[in-house]
Every structure is written in structure tokens, then in C-alpha cells.
Amino acid sequence: MHFTITTRPHHTAEPVVITVTGELDLTAEPELTASTATALAATRASADGPPAALIADLTATTFCSAGCLEILHTAHRQAAGHGSALLLVTGQPALLRPIALLGMTFDLAPTLGHALTRLQPPPRPARTSER
């Protein structure tokens, strides 16, 4: 088993990104739990603004156990509970199939770029001047 978790630096309102590579099996559960808890804490609303979103980038993950999927699903529910969101980035059938079989619901994006685009606020309408 080999995996790494890196968290992108976060600034107010920018999403926190966890990048996971390799296999998430039973032995990865403690570190995944700790990493998602740390990342969730970083998404909490501050005096400066609303809560940031959390992105779990699993595009380089080759296996994810049911236990690790449950950790991610719990993080998804916790993020929603404090007004944030967790987006799961994957297009891997090896991950999508177990998610479907387990009846889990995630916000999914096929690439990190798609996830970041989805999280951008909609453009403000142009103001028209009235004379």
C-alpha cells in the first residue's frame, strides 16, 4: 500500500484540496481520518467570510476501501452541516462503482479543474446606470 495526502494552502474562501494518490485501504484509515478532520477545520467560516469548500482529489487513487469511502462520506456530511461542501474528484470506475453500490451520494467532478470551476461564484450582473 502506498498513498500520500497533501493539502493545498488555503486562503479565505478558497477551497481546501486534499490530493490522494495510491491505494486507500484499511491501513490508510487513521491518516485519512486525521487529514479530513484537519481539512474540514480549515474550511470553517471565519470572521472574514463564508466557509470554504473541501475538494478530495482522488484522480490518482487506484483503490479505495469501503471504510475509506465511509470516512469521505462522513466528511461530506460534516461539510454540509457547517454550510460548506465536499467535492470528490474522480472518474475512476474502481471508485465510482463502489460508491454506487454502497448507495453513497457525493458531489463529483471528473477533474480538479472542473471542481475548481464549479466552486467559483457566478459572475455578478453588470450594473446599468440610470439617468
Side-chain angles (χ1 to χ4, degrees):
M1 185 273 313
H2 171 70
F3 79 101
T4 58
I5 298 175
T6 55
T7 305
R8 187 176 94 171
H10 140 251
H11 305 286
T12 304
E14 284 189 24
V16 175
V17 180
I18 296 175
T19 304
V20 183
T21 61
E23 297 183 349
L24 287 173
D25 58 16
L26 179 67
T27 61
E29 289 181 17
E31 188 171 349
L32 182 62
T33 299
S35 295
T36 55
T38 300
L40 279 169
T43 67
R44 302 252 185 220
S46 67
D48 306 43
L54 174 59
I55 298 173
D57 184 358
L58 305 179
T59 53
T61 302
T62 55
F63 174 80
C64 189
S65 70
C68 286
L69 283 175
E70 183 56 39
I71 292 165
L72 293 169
H73 199 245
T74 298
H76 173 73
R77 291 190 308 269
Q78 290 172 337
H82 73 260
S84 185
L86 181 142
L87 272 75
L88 209 61
V89 179
T90 186
Q92 302 256 5
L95 275 71
L96 295 174
R97 183 163 167 76
I99 289 169
L101 288 172
L102 293 168
M104 294 179 169
T105 304
F106 286 100
D107 293 324
L108 297 169
T111 66
L112 181 57
H114 281 94
L116 292 169
T117 299
R118 280 184 48 196
L119 293 171
Q120 289 182 355
R124 292 183 184 198
R127 289 186 164 186
T128 58
S129 61
E130 294 182 28
R131 293 186 186 205

